[in-house]
Amino acid sequence: MFTSVLMIEKALTSADVEFVTTLHGEEEVSFQVLLQPRGEQADRLLRAIDDVALGELDEAVREGETPEGEEALSVGQRALEVSLAALRASGSRAEGRLIEDHPLDALKSLVEEVDADEVIVLTDPHYVEEFFHRDWASRARHKVGVPVLKLFSHSKA
Protein backbone atom coordinates (compact mmCIF):
# COMPACT_ATOMS: atom_id res chain seq x y z
CA MET A 1 0.00 0.00 0.00
CA PHE A 2 1.22 3.48 -0.94
CA THR A 3 0.84 6.11 1.81
CA SER A 4 0.31 9.75 0.90
CA VAL A 5 0.09 12.61 3.35
CA LEU A 6 -2.33 15.11 1.83
CA MET A 7 -2.05 18.66 3.17
CA ILE A 8 -5.05 20.86 2.40
CA GLU A 9 -6.56 24.16 3.49
CA LYS A 10 -10.23 23.62 2.55
CA ALA A 11 -12.65 20.83 1.66
CA LEU A 12 -11.69 18.74 -1.35
CA THR A 13 -13.89 19.10 -4.41
CA SER A 14 -14.94 16.06 -6.43
CA ALA A 15 -12.37 17.04 -9.07
CA ASP A 16 -9.65 17.19 -6.40
CA VAL A 17 -10.60 13.75 -5.09
CA GLU A 18 -10.52 12.25 -8.57
CA PHE A 19 -7.17 13.91 -9.25
CA VAL A 20 -5.37 12.68 -6.13
CA THR A 21 -6.92 9.20 -6.16
CA THR A 22 -5.84 8.54 -9.73
CA LEU A 23 -2.23 9.75 -9.42
CA HIS A 24 -0.89 6.24 -8.81
CA GLY A 25 -3.02 4.31 -11.28
CA GLU A 26 -4.31 1.03 -9.90
CA GLU A 27 -2.05 1.02 -6.83
CA GLU A 28 -3.95 1.08 -3.55
CA VAL A 29 -3.38 4.38 -1.69
CA SER A 30 -3.93 5.31 1.91
CA PHE A 31 -4.35 9.03 2.60
CA GLN A 32 -3.40 10.79 5.82
CA VAL A 33 -5.05 14.20 5.55
CA LEU A 34 -3.88 17.32 7.36
CA LEU A 35 -6.11 20.37 7.16
CA GLN A 36 -5.13 23.73 8.56
CA PRO A 37 -8.13 26.04 8.69
CA ARG A 38 -7.49 29.70 8.23
CA GLY A 39 -6.59 31.10 11.59
CA GLU A 40 -4.08 33.28 13.30
CA GLN A 41 -1.30 32.23 10.90
CA ALA A 42 -3.28 33.30 7.85
CA ASP A 43 -2.43 36.73 6.51
CA ARG A 44 -5.37 38.62 5.03
CA LEU A 45 -3.11 40.93 3.03
CA LEU A 46 -1.36 38.03 1.28
CA ARG A 47 -4.69 36.35 0.54
CA ALA A 48 -6.06 39.60 -0.87
CA ILE A 49 -2.97 40.05 -3.08
CA ASP A 50 -3.41 36.48 -4.35
CA ASP A 51 -7.07 37.20 -5.12
CA VAL A 52 -6.12 40.35 -7.05
CA ALA A 53 -3.40 38.44 -8.95
CA LEU A 54 -6.01 35.85 -9.96
CA GLY A 55 -8.39 38.61 -11.09
CA GLU A 56 -10.84 37.79 -8.30
CA LEU A 57 -11.45 41.31 -7.03
CA ASP A 58 -14.71 40.36 -5.33
CA GLU A 59 -12.84 37.72 -3.30
CA ALA A 60 -10.20 40.27 -2.27
CA VAL A 61 -12.90 42.54 -0.89
CA ARG A 62 -14.47 39.63 1.06
CA GLU A 63 -11.25 38.49 2.77
CA GLY A 64 -12.41 40.21 5.95
CA GLU A 65 -15.46 37.92 6.03
CA THR A 66 -13.36 34.73 6.06
CA PRO A 67 -13.68 32.87 9.38
CA GLU A 68 -10.56 32.94 11.51
CA GLY A 69 -9.46 31.68 14.90
CA GLU A 70 -12.04 29.59 16.81
CA GLU A 71 -14.70 30.11 14.15
CA ALA A 72 -12.35 28.69 11.51
CA LEU A 73 -11.88 25.50 13.57
CA SER A 74 -15.53 24.43 13.25
CA VAL A 75 -15.51 25.25 9.54
CA GLY A 76 -12.23 23.34 9.24
CA GLN A 77 -13.62 20.29 11.05
CA ARG A 78 -16.55 20.13 8.64
CA ALA A 79 -14.20 20.54 5.65
CA LEU A 80 -12.03 17.70 6.97
CA GLU A 81 -15.04 15.41 7.47
CA VAL A 82 -16.33 16.13 3.96
CA SER A 83 -12.89 15.49 2.47
CA LEU A 84 -12.38 12.20 4.33
CA ALA A 85 -15.84 10.98 3.32
CA ALA A 86 -15.17 11.82 -0.33
CA LEU A 87 -11.82 10.01 -0.32
CA ARG A 88 -13.39 6.94 1.32
CA ALA A 89 -16.29 6.99 -1.15
CA SER A 90 -13.73 6.79 -3.96
CA GLY A 91 -12.41 3.56 -2.46
CA SER A 92 -9.34 4.97 -0.72
CA ARG A 93 -8.41 4.61 2.91
CA ALA A 94 -8.38 7.99 4.61
CA GLU A 95 -7.70 9.33 8.09
CA GLY A 96 -7.20 12.95 9.03
CA ARG A 97 -6.74 15.64 11.59
CA LEU A 98 -6.88 19.39 11.94
CA ILE A 99 -3.71 21.27 12.66
CA GLU A 100 -3.79 24.65 14.32
CA ASP A 101 -0.16 25.61 14.81
CA HIS A 102 3.12 24.86 13.11
CA PRO A 103 1.81 22.99 10.06
CA LEU A 104 5.25 21.90 8.87
CA ASP A 105 6.15 20.40 12.25
CA ALA A 106 2.86 18.48 12.22
CA LEU A 107 3.56 17.39 8.64
CA LYS A 108 7.05 16.13 9.47
CA SER A 109 5.79 14.23 12.52
CA LEU A 110 2.99 12.59 10.56
CA VAL A 111 5.29 11.59 7.69
CA GLU A 112 7.54 9.84 10.21
CA GLU A 113 4.64 8.35 12.20
CA VAL A 114 2.98 6.67 9.19
CA ASP A 115 6.18 6.07 7.18
CA ALA A 116 4.69 8.05 4.29
CA ASP A 117 5.88 7.59 0.72
CA GLU A 118 5.06 11.14 -0.38
CA VAL A 119 3.47 14.43 0.57
CA ILE A 120 0.86 16.09 -1.63
CA VAL A 121 0.17 19.77 -0.94
CA LEU A 122 -3.15 20.69 -2.55
CA THR A 123 -4.03 24.38 -2.18
CA ASP A 124 -5.22 27.39 -4.08
CA PRO A 125 -2.38 29.36 -5.67
CA HIS A 126 -0.52 31.60 -3.22
CA TYR A 127 1.61 33.67 -5.56
CA VAL A 128 3.36 35.87 -3.02
CA GLU A 129 4.35 32.96 -0.79
CA GLU A 130 5.37 30.82 -3.78
CA PHE A 131 7.50 33.60 -5.24
CA PHE A 132 9.48 33.78 -2.01
CA HIS A 133 9.40 29.98 -1.53
CA ARG A 134 7.49 30.37 1.72
CA ASP A 135 4.53 28.20 0.69
CA TRP A 136 3.98 24.83 2.36
CA ALA A 137 5.36 22.75 -0.51
CA SER A 138 8.59 24.73 -0.88
CA ARG A 139 9.27 24.64 2.83
CA ALA A 140 8.27 20.97 3.22
CA ARG A 141 10.76 19.86 0.57
CA HIS A 142 13.56 20.78 2.96
CA LYS A 143 11.96 19.22 6.01
CA VAL A 144 10.13 15.92 5.44
CA GLY A 145 12.57 13.62 3.65
CA VAL A 146 10.08 12.27 1.07
CA PRO A 147 8.98 13.62 -2.32
CA VAL A 148 6.62 16.61 -2.12
CA LEU A 149 4.13 17.21 -4.92
CA LYS A 150 2.52 20.66 -5.23
CA LEU A 151 -0.94 20.66 -6.81
CA PHE A 152 -3.52 23.39 -7.21
CA SER A 153 -7.16 22.90 -6.22
CA HIS A 154 -9.42 22.50 -9.21
CA SER A 155 -12.13 24.84 -8.06
CA LYS A 156 -13.61 26.62 -5.10
CA ALA A 157 -15.12 24.33 -2.46
Side-chain angles (χ1 to χ4, degrees):
M1 166 131 2
F2 196 85
T3 303
S4 292
V5 174
L6 180 59
M7 195 162 184
I8 60 176
E9 61 188 357
K10 64 180 184 179
L12 296 174
T13 65
S14 57
D16 293 332
V17 170
E18 182 178 354
F19 193 36
V20 298
T21 58
T22 58
L23 283 173
H24 298 289
E26 297 298 315
E27 188 166 1
E28 193 174 350
V29 179
S30 170
F31 290 96
Q32 294 289 326
V33 181
L34 290 177
L35 185 142
Q36 183 181 28
R38 290 181 171 180
E40 302 307 319
Q41 293 189 21
D43 186 336
R44 279 191 198 158
L45 177 59
L46 290 178
R47 291 194 317 252
I49 291 170
D50 287 338
D51 291 337
V52 170
L54 290 168
E56 297 173 353
L57 300 179
D58 291 340
E59 291 294 321
V61 171
R62 286 195 292 268
E63 280 301 336
E65 300 168 10
T66 301
E68 293 192 353
E70 289 299 317
E71 185 182 349
L73 289 178
S74 64
V75 171
Q77 186 62 45
R78 285 193 305 274
L80 179 61
E81 291 166 4
V82 165
S83 299
L84 293 173
L87 288 166
R88 292 174 186 144
S90 75
S92 297
R93 293 182 187 178
E95 300 297 325
R97 59 183 87 155
L98 287 180
I99 48 175
E100 296 178 45
D101 297 315
H102 312 292
L104 294 174
D105 292 339
L107 177 63
K108 183 177 186 206
S109 294
L110 183 59
V111 165
E112 292 169 357
E113 176 185 325
V114 300
D115 194 25
D117 297 297
E118 72 178 356
V119 169
I120 300 171
V121 177
L122 181 70
T123 64
D124 288 333
H126 298 290
Y127 294 117
V128 174
E129 292 169 337
E130 289 165 20
F131 179 79
F132 291 107
H133 303 283
R134 300 304 304 156
D135 59 299
W136 285 342
S138 296
R139 292 169 41 204
R141 286 186 179 103
H142 303 288
K143 192 164 188 138
V144 297
V146 297
V148 176
L149 180 61
K150 167 80 171 166
L151 301 173
F152 292 120
S153 300
H154 280 79
S155 60
K156 300 281 183 194

